[in-house]
Amino acid sequence: MADIDLKCKCGEVTGVATHITPRSGNRVVCCCSDCQAFAQFLGTEADTLDDAGGTELYQTSQSQVKIHTGHENLRSMRLTRTGLLRWYTSCCNTPVGNSMKASIPFFGIIHTFMDIKDKDKTLGDVRAYCQTQSATGQVDHPKAHPKFPLPIYFRIGRQLIFWKLQGKHKPSDFFDETGRPVAKPLIAKPLVANS
Ligand SMILES: [Zn+2]
Ligand SMILES: [Zn+2]
């Protein structure tokens, strides 16, 4: 079991992801156009996306992700009004992660926010290389899937139920007591015009 240091590019925002093992969460890569759009919104495509446009994440429970410094630099946005809440830092535009709402114990930490050396040992292998239908380059990964593979979908579903029973949606450094995001989400402008 490991604690993973979390850090934005400039070091203002730091934290830790606690009690992480390869089995405790899911290391995945997502090539969907929304994850790509988020990197584009921040202007961090080069650091965030791999050669096929994939974003690597480690999905865990909300209460396992703790912010220690730089809370005031946390920002959130949505690509659509009902989409995932996407977190980043205002100090240096580092992608932080994705969450749903306060009551759902889910947090996907984006690799750019993890300060981790032995990734394969700590997080395990990539369980799924998802949404390759939106990939922007050649995908040559053994776990590639055009959409989102069902076994992972069910695995996350089971984990969410388990985490919820354990109360792992709280405490959260991303939502206040009333369940509001600690930083009011921006709605990405070009998409608001279409909705
Ligand atoms: Zn920063
Ligand atoms: Zn995605």
Side-chain angles (χ1 to χ4, degrees):
M1 209 169 278
D3 286 350
I4 299 170
D5 289 331
L6 305 175
K7 195 170 73 154
C8 67
K9 202 169 182 177
C10 78
E12 285 282 318
V13 182
T14 64
V16 67
T18 61
H19 303 100
I20 301 299
T21 72
R23 291 176 59 83
S24 69
N26 306 300
R27 181 181 175 195
V28 298
V29 177
C30 184
C31 295
C32 84
S33 50
D34 282 358
C35 287
Q36 292 178 38
F38 182 47
Q40 283 153 12
F41 165 81
L42 296 174
T44 59
E45 298 101 306
D47 290 342
T48 309
L49 305 179
D50 67 17
D51 290 345
T55 301
E56 188 177 323
L57 305 126
Y58 184 79
Q59 301 168 326
T60 184
S61 78
Q62 242 195 98
S63 67
Q64 282 171 268
V65 183
K66 312 210 184 280
I67 301 298
H68 290 160
T69 65
H71 296 82
E72 69 281 8
N73 296 318
L74 276 181
R75 296 288 182 275
S76 72
M77 65 86 78
R78 297 182 200 274
L79 289 160
T80 59
R81 281 191 191 287
T82 54
L84 280 179
L85 205 48
R86 295 172 187 270
W87 295 90
Y88 62 99
T89 66
S90 58
C91 42
C92 57
N93 274 9
T94 298
V96 167
N98 305 325
S99 68
M100 296 174 190
K101 55 184 183 180
S103 58
I104 300 180
F106 172 89
F107 200 92
I109 312 168
I110 297 175
H111 70 95
T112 42
F113 193 51
M114 289 189 267
D115 189 12
I116 182 170
K117 285 180 190 75
D118 201 348
K119 214 194 283 191
D120 289 344
K121 193 171 159 222
T122 309
L123 304 182
D125 294 335
V126 170
R127 285 181 185 271
Y129 194 99
C130 316
Q131 301 282 0
T132 58
Q133 60 184 358
S134 302
T136 55
Q138 181 70 33
V139 176
D140 191 20
H141 195 281
K143 299 282 176 64
H145 193 280
K147 293 184 179 171
F148 204 71
L150 274 183
I152 290 289
Y153 192 78
F154 287 127
R155 184 180 157 84
I156 294 171
R158 280 198 308 273
Q159 285 171 325
L160 285 176
I161 294 167
F162 183 62
W163 290 333
K164 183 73 185 180
L165 289 172
Q166 292 182 313
K168 284 191 165 180
H169 55 296
K170 278 183 178 176
S172 170
D173 281 329
F174 299 91
F175 296 93
D176 67 18
E177 283 293 301
T178 65
R180 280 204 200 94
V182 294
K184 192 174 178 219
L186 282 175
I187 309 287
K189 286 205 177 74
L191 291 155
V192 167
N194 296 332
S195 66

